[in-house]
Amino acid sequence: MAKKPGLSGKPGIPPYFNIDPETAAGKLADPIDTARFAKAAAFATRGRDDLARRGYAPDGAKRLRKFSTWEVCRYLIPVNSAHLRRVLRQNPELPQGEGEGGSKWFTLEEILRLRDFFAKEGVKDRDYRAWRPEGLPAKVVAVANFKGGVGKTSTCAHLAMSAALDGYKVLVIDLDSQGSMTSIMGGKVEDEWQTVFPLLARDYALHLTEENRVREAEGLTPFQFDETLTEALEVSPRNLVQKTHWPNIHLIGAQLNLYWAEFQVPVWRMQMRSWPLWNSLLNALEEGGMLDDYDIVLLDTPPALGYLTINALTAADILLVPLGASFLEFDSTGRFFDMIYSTFASIEEGENRLRRAEGLDEVRFEWDAVRAMVTRFDANQQTDLANVIQAYFGDFMTTYRQEMTAMVGQAGEQVSGIYETDYRDFNRETYVRGRETFDRTWAEVKEVILGTWWRDQQMAKAEQEDK
């Protein structure tokens, strides 16, 4: 038997770090079988729950903190603090807040009531309420990129919170089986029947029902419904909606079993080729009246261009694509755009070939706007590359780059959003800078939302005039 060489650069031993293979082998555990993953998953679940509860109240429920007079007047209602105090003294029926002297603290529900008061009694040339044109549906915003770790869920969560602070009623739909958005919003999801899965199943079951009517009229045997499809027909989208610790943010959550939708949806499609699977989520939102119940619907997607993401993209009016200012994320985002093109162009080509033969209108996918946004930005190291990305993506880009600050990092560690963090835990300058990161992101997104609503309103008026 050959003698084992030593560690002094002799043949057969990797020189880097002078690691001895026999010693390394002695540090290994036994080979890992599949059951070991279950044990690791159980430990992770316990750890995850422990970490998540650090952002919760002692009873295990999330609570939204109160907001000070300073925050109300600086960020939420365009009045100065002295005028607010005077109005409260003159109107004792209004929420008075908690605390002594000039420093009062208000719940968001109370702030929304104060907003309504000022909208009726305040200065006429100020906008105290967020604008939404009457009679138009909610705007659906999908946050997507198949590159993980780009700040997608964090951005989506903060946009929901920003919109809520602005007074909008928001529905957040978590389409990622990892359930990170659900954790941030304090949601509880027991199984896939509390996710969007039954909405997809219901859409397929409704399509199957229509097909069976045709088959029965032609004397053919109808397709059979299994237990899943029968149960899905009884599901209403509103029954899946959870309240959150934010009074004007509701949630349809996610959990691990939602991932099975990626396997079940193509099976249904193979069984019924005429089913337009990509429209399932949009059909559910429209059928369930969700686009009238809410002002903004935010879709947090998984980091993949699977069937759930395709449904999100089809339902979306506006697509937001977060990416970091790095070569790999720029390259990945370019590939993501290419996959969107190839996927939806293929759907259009296949569907329109059949529709032309039957004399039907052609299918065309269209989005009001698309914006890529740089997240986790470090101006000291990434400005040059961010400028290059801006130049190549052009009008697809937002102008503001979402900076990574200490406050952003701390909020993530506490499973909380920046707006949920008490500014007294920071010095005032740190809080203002950290909050500005997401305030300015929301400002650009809000501008897009308002612009598309305005355009829709003008088009609706023009159509009415033509009639």
Side-chain angles (χ1 to χ4, degrees):
M1 179 180 291
K3 189 176 181 181
K4 188 182 78 169
L7 298 177
S8 302
K10 295 182 179 179
I13 297 297
Y16 195 54
F17 289 126
N18 291 328
I19 295 173
D20 176 28
E22 183 177 352
T23 303
K27 294 179 179 179
L28 294 176
D30 293 336
I32 307 300
D33 61 12
T34 53
R36 182 63 181 82
F37 286 101
K39 187 176 181 180
F43 281 132
T45 298
R46 286 165 52 188
R48 171 192 170 281
D49 290 345
D50 175 57
L51 289 170
R53 288 192 178 93
R54 298 183 188 187
Y56 286 50
D59 62 0
K62 268 202 163 186
R63 301 279 191 276
L64 181 60
R65 69 179 181 87
K66 294 183 178 181
F67 298 85
S68 70
T69 302
W70 171 74
E71 290 175 285
V72 170
C73 296
R74 172 160 183 156
Y75 295 112
L76 304 178
I77 303 177
V79 296
N80 63 54
S81 57
H83 180 58
L84 175 61
R85 286 192 289 269
R86 185 164 54 251
V87 167
L88 295 181
R89 286 195 301 270
Q90 294 170 352
N91 298 273
E93 75 282 2
L94 290 176
Q96 298 295 307
E98 290 185 357
E100 300 297 329
S103 180
K104 296 292 185 73
W105 293 78
F106 300 86
T107 66
L108 184 54
E109 292 96 329
E110 291 172 334
I111 293 167
L112 295 176
R113 284 181 57 193
L114 291 174
R115 262 213 181 104
D116 290 338
F117 173 83
F118 281 105
K120 293 177 182 176
E121 307 294 338
V123 178
K124 299 305 179 186
D125 61 351
R126 289 188 186 176
D127 295 324
Y128 297 98
R129 283 200 194 107
W131 182 76
R132 173 185 174 179
E134 189 175 348
L136 292 182
K139 282 296 177 184
V140 182
V141 181
V143 184
N145 197 335
F146 63 29
K147 182 78 170 67
V150 295
K152 180 171 54 62
T153 297
S154 176
T155 297
C156 188
H158 281 96
L159 288 173
M161 295 173 191
S162 297
L165 289 173
D166 223 349
Y168 287 113
K169 190 172 183 182
V170 181
L171 174 63
V172 175
I173 302 179
D174 192 351
L175 295 169
D176 188 346
S177 58
Q178 296 177 87
S180 299
M181 176 65 79
T182 302
S183 294
I184 292 172
M185 291 298 168
K188 304 295 182 184
V189 181
E190 298 299 325
D191 57 34
E192 68 272 23
W193 285 92
Q194 296 177 359
T195 72
V196 298
F197 173 76
L199 300 184
L200 307 183
R202 175 181 169 82
D203 189 69
Y204 177 67
L206 290 172
H207 185 80
L208 208 60
T209 301
E210 291 298 318
E211 287 292 324
N212 279 344
R213 289 198 183 101
V214 175
R215 292 179 69 84
E216 289 172 1
E218 296 175 350
L220 300 174
T221 303
F223 295 107
Q224 297 300 305
F225 281 70
D226 61 20
E227 184 180 348
T228 296
L229 298 179
T230 301
E231 187 175 346
L233 284 172
E234 304 301 318
V235 173
S236 166
R238 285 190 174 93
N239 294 341
L240 302 175
V241 171
Q242 304 180 39
K243 293 182 178 179
T244 73
H245 54 297
W246 287 74
N248 48 350
I249 300 179
H250 289 171
L251 170 73
I252 297 179
Q255 59 102 253
L256 188 60
N257 289 354
L258 176 59
Y259 189 71
W260 286 106
E262 298 289 357
F263 298 94
Q264 185 60 64
V265 166
V267 171
W268 288 332
R269 173 69 171 176
M270 290 298 293
Q271 293 171 350
M272 182 65 59
R273 298 291 298 177
S274 60
W275 176 50
L277 62 89
W278 49 86
N279 280 334
S280 298
L281 180 57
L282 179 59
N283 290 342
L285 293 174
E286 291 177 339
E287 179 200 9
M290 317 295 266
L291 300 183
D292 297 319
D293 292 348
Y294 298 92
D295 300 309
I296 296 170
V297 179
L298 278 159
L299 309 176
D300 186 43
T301 63
L305 192 56
Y307 295 106
L308 290 168
T309 302
I310 288 172
N311 262 274
L313 295 177
T314 303
D317 301 300
I318 297 165
L319 171 60
L320 301 179
V321 185
L323 74 154
S326 74
F327 169 78
L328 291 178
E329 293 182 38
F330 174 49
D331 180 52
S332 177
T333 301
R335 296 174 192 276
F336 178 62
F337 288 144
D338 187 47
M339 285 193 70
I340 292 176
Y341 162 72
S342 59
T343 299
F344 285 94
S346 176
I347 294 172
E348 287 176 341
E349 182 181 355
E351 289 296 303
N352 290 335
R353 190 184 307 116
L354 297 174
R355 297 177 76 86
R356 282 191 295 268
E358 297 176 6
L360 301 173
D361 291 338
E362 294 190 4
V363 171
R364 188 179 70 161
F365 295 100
E366 191 173 77
W367 293 266
D368 288 341
V370 176
R371 292 291 185 274
M373 55 178 62
V374 172
T375 59
R376 301 175 293 109
F377 179 63
D378 183 346
N380 293 325
Q381 300 183 36
Q382 298 178 321
T383 297
D384 289 344
L385 186 51
N387 290 341
V388 171
I389 293 172
Q390 189 93 31
Y392 278 102
F393 280 156
D395 61 0
F396 261 25
M397 293 292 299
T398 58
T399 56
Y400 179 68
R401 295 158 187 174
Q402 201 179 95
E403 291 188 64
M404 184 66 186
T405 68
M407 186 178 171
V408 173
Q410 182 169 324
E413 291 171 6
Q414 296 175 347
V415 201
S416 301
I418 280 179
Y419 302 113
E420 298 173 325
T421 304
D422 192 326
Y423 70 86
R424 292 171 296 182
D425 294 338
F426 306 86
N427 67 52
R428 189 68 62 89
E429 183 180 344
T430 300
Y431 178 82
V432 169
R433 182 167 173 262
R435 177 172 177 144
E436 183 185 29
T437 296
F438 289 101
D439 281 350
R440 291 185 62 180
T441 298
W442 166 237
E444 288 211 45
V445 174
K446 181 181 178 181
E447 184 176 38
V448 173
I449 291 172
L450 296 192
T452 57
W453 259 333
W454 177 268
R455 188 168 62 189
D456 292 347
Q457 185 184 55
Q458 302 312 303
M459 290 173 63
K461 287 180 180 177
E463 289 175 3
Q464 287 294 326
E465 292 171 358
D466 290 340
K467 290 182 179 179

